[in-house]
Amino acid sequence: MSTRTARADHPRTPRRRPAWAGRNYSLLTASAVVTNLGAHGALIAAAFAVLEAGGSGGDVGLVAAARTLPLVLFLLVGGALADRLPRHRVMVAANALNFLSQGAFAALVLLGEPQLWQMMALTALCGVGQAFFNPAAEGMLLATVSGENSNRAFALFRMAVNGAGIGGAALGGAMIAAMGPGWVLAVDSAAFAVAGLLRAFLDVGGTPEREPGGGLLSDLREGWVEFRTRPWLWSIVLQFSVVVAVVGAAESVYGPLVARDQLGGPAPWGVALACFGVGTIAGAVLMVAWKPRRMLLVGTLCVFPLALPSAGLAVPLPVWALCLVMFVSGAAIEVFGVNWMTTMHQEIPEDKFSRVSAYDWFGSVSLLPLATAVAGPAESVFGRTEALWGCAALVILVTALTLLVPDVRHLTRRPPKTLSPAPPPAPGLAPSLASGPTPDLTGAPPVTTPAASPAAVRPGA
C-alpha cells in the first residue's frame, strides 16, 4: 500500500483547540494581536512626529499628557457603562473612535506640518476611546474565563499579544527610519478598523442580562465599595500610580531623546522595546505552568526590575545592554501581570468587574498626565540623567512600601471550586480572554511606550 493510500485510508484527526479556547477566545486574541501590532509602532511614531515637527522634549511630554488626561477623566464613566451595556459594543465603538483619530493624525503628518495643538487634540481623542475600551475589555476577558484554566489562559493570551508587540515595536522603529512616522500612524489606524470588525463578531448570546442598577452614580458607588474594602487592591493601585507615572515619563519622553542623542535614532530604540516584548513572552511562558500560591507577593517582588530601564537610560547603557535590561523587566512585569489578573478573577464579582477595573485603571494612570507634562521641565531643572535616576529610585521605594501591606504578602490562591463563579457560556462561547491595554494585554492600545504604558505595566493589563 502506498503512503498516499495509507493516508487516505487513515486520515489524520484534525487538531482541536483546548476546550476553553473557543470562538470568543480566538476572536479576542486575534483582535488584540492586530491592535498591538499597530499601536506599539505608533507610540514611537507619535514621539518622533513631534520631534520632526521641531518640537522639544517638553512637547513630546505634552502630547503624551494629552492622551492620558482624557483617559483619566473618562475611565470611571467607561467602567460604569461597561457594566450596563453589552461590553463588546463598547469595545467596537471605542475602536471606531481610535480608527478615526489615528487616521486623522496620520493624514496630518503625511500632508503637512502638524501643529502641536493639533497633535494634542487627536491624541486626546485616542485617550477617550481607551477610557471606554479598557474597563469593557477587562470585564469581557474575565467574565468568560473558568477558574481552573484562568492562569494558563491569561498567560497564553498575553504571550500572543506581547509577541505582536515585539514585531510592532521593531517594525515601527524601522518604518519610521525608512518612511517617516506618518505611515506608521496610518498602519495603526487600519489596525483599529480590523480589530473593531473582529470584535463585532463576538458571541455574547449566553451572557446573562445584568440587573438594572440605580443609576450611574449608584453604580460608581458600588464599584468604589468593592475597591476600598480590599487593602491588597487599593495599595497596589496606589503603588502603580507612581510606577506608571515615573516609568511612563522616563520612556515616553526621555527614551526617544536618549535614542536620538546617544543610541543612533529610532531603530535601536525600537529594537530595545522589542526586547521588552521578548521578555514578556518569556514571562508568559513561565506562567503557563507556574502557579505560585502567594500570587501578589510573587507579583509585587517582580515590580522591582521596572527600575532597570530608567537606570539603563540614565547611564546610558550601550544598545545591547539596554536590550538585556528591557528583556529582564519585561519578563518580570509579565509574571506580575498574570498573577494580578488571576487574583482579580478570584476575588472580584463578575457583575462589578468593569467598575472595579475602572478604579484600577483610574488610580494607576492618574499621575501619568502630570508626570509626562513635567518631564521636560524636570530635565531642564535637574538634568536628564538625574531625572532618570529619580524615576528608578521611586519605583524601588513605592514597591518596598507595598510589601508592608499584610494582604499583599499573605493572599493565597484558592482551589478552583471556590472561585467567583463565571456565567455559563453559550454554545461555542469559550471561557476566553488587552492595554492594552497593557495592555494590553487586553488588547488595549498602550498609552505611552510599550514598556512603560499602563497596558504593560499597570495592574490588570
Side-chain angles (χ1 to χ4, degrees):
M1 181 183 294
S2 67
T3 303
R4 181 175 298 177
T5 304
R7 287 178 178 174
D9 293 341
H10 302 282
R12 292 182 179 179
T13 301
R15 293 184 179 180
R16 297 185 180 274
R17 294 172 299 211
W20 47 265
R23 179 188 177 195
N24 272 23
Y25 182 89
S26 300
L27 286 172
L28 287 169
T29 301
S31 58
V33 165
V34 170
T35 302
N36 276 265
L37 277 171
H40 281 69
L43 291 168
I44 309 171
F48 279 93
V50 175
L51 295 174
E52 289 186 7
S56 63
D59 293 334
V60 174
L62 288 175
V63 172
R67 182 190 297 267
T68 53
L69 182 59
L71 172 66
V72 172
L73 293 177
F74 289 99
L75 265 172
L76 297 183
V77 176
L81 287 178
D83 276 339
R84 281 176 165 266
L85 303 176
R87 288 170 177 153
H88 73 298
R89 293 183 182 176
V90 177
M91 295 163 68
V92 171
N95 284 162
L97 177 59
N98 288 139
F99 158 68
L100 294 173
S101 59
Q102 285 294 80
F105 194 175
L108 193 68
V109 174
L110 290 170
L111 299 178
E113 296 183 1
Q115 302 298 311
L116 179 62
W117 71 267
Q118 294 171 324
M119 292 185 284
M120 291 177 65
L122 291 170
T123 55
L125 289 176
C126 285
V128 173
Q130 189 174 358
F132 286 88
F133 178 90
N134 291 342
E138 292 190 1
M140 190 88 184
L141 169 113
L142 294 185
T144 53
V145 175
S146 67
E148 182 179 359
N149 296 308
S150 60
N151 198 85
R152 178 182 302 173
F154 297 153
L156 290 174
F157 177 86
R158 292 172 68 98
M159 193 187 309
V161 170
N162 291 327
I166 296 171
L171 182 61
M175 285 183 64
I176 294 168
M179 306 170 63
W183 289 107
V184 179
L185 294 168
V187 169
D188 186 39
S189 175
F192 277 117
V194 173
L197 182 63
L198 290 173
R199 289 170 176 135
F201 288 98
L202 290 170
D203 181 2
V204 295
T207 304
E209 294 186 5
R210 298 180 177 88
E211 295 294 331
L216 183 64
L217 292 179
S218 176
D219 287 349
L220 289 175
R221 282 194 296 269
E222 287 185 13
W224 173 248
V225 170
E226 291 288 336
F227 179 83
R228 69 176 176 81
T229 55
R230 303 173 190 273
W232 61 268
L233 177 56
W234 57 255
S235 63
I236 288 182
V237 171
L238 284 175
Q239 170 201 8
F240 270 76
S241 69
V242 176
V243 171
V244 170
V246 298
V247 177
E251 296 185 8
S252 67
V253 180
Y254 302 139
L257 295 175
V258 173
R260 182 192 64 184
D261 297 341
Q262 295 168 286
L263 299 180
W269 182 233
V271 172
L273 295 176
C275 288
F276 178 89
V278 175
T280 61
I281 290 183
V285 170
L286 174 63
M287 293 309 299
V288 169
W290 185 30
K291 297 181 179 180
R293 183 168 175 267
R294 296 190 180 185
M295 300 175 288
L296 289 183
L297 175 60
V298 169
T300 302
L301 290 172
C302 287
V303 179
F304 283 109
L306 281 185
L308 294 176
S310 296
L313 289 169
V315 173
L317 295 174
V319 174
W320 70 266
L322 183 61
C323 288
L324 179 61
V325 161
M326 298 293 271
F327 174 87
V328 171
S329 61
I333 200 57
E334 191 65 16
V335 173
F336 171 86
V338 174
N339 281 298
W340 176 257
M341 294 180 74
T342 305
T343 303
M344 293 279 281
H345 180 255
Q346 174 176 289
E347 301 293 327
I348 306 299
E350 188 278 328
D351 63 325
K352 297 180 177 66
F353 192 88
S354 287
R355 280 167 284 175
V356 174
S357 175
Y359 281 106
D360 172 13
W361 271 94
F362 178 82
S364 298
V365 303
S366 58
L367 297 180
L368 186 58
L370 176 63
T372 52
V374 304
E379 179 186 14
S380 300
V381 173
F382 302 107
R384 187 187 302 168
T385 298
E386 290 76 11
L388 283 164
W389 281 118
C391 291
L394 281 172
V395 171
I396 293 172
L397 175 62
V398 298
T399 303
L401 291 175
T402 304
L403 290 173
L404 299 178
V405 179
D407 284 355
V408 173
R409 299 194 308 271
H410 301 307
L411 190 147
T412 58
R413 185 188 304 270
R414 296 198 299 268
K417 64 180 180 180
T418 63
L419 294 177
S420 300
L429 177 62
S432 73
L433 282 210
S435 193
T438 259
D440 7 287
L441 305 170
T442 60
V447 173
T448 54
T449 64
S453 69
V457 173
R458 59 152 231 110

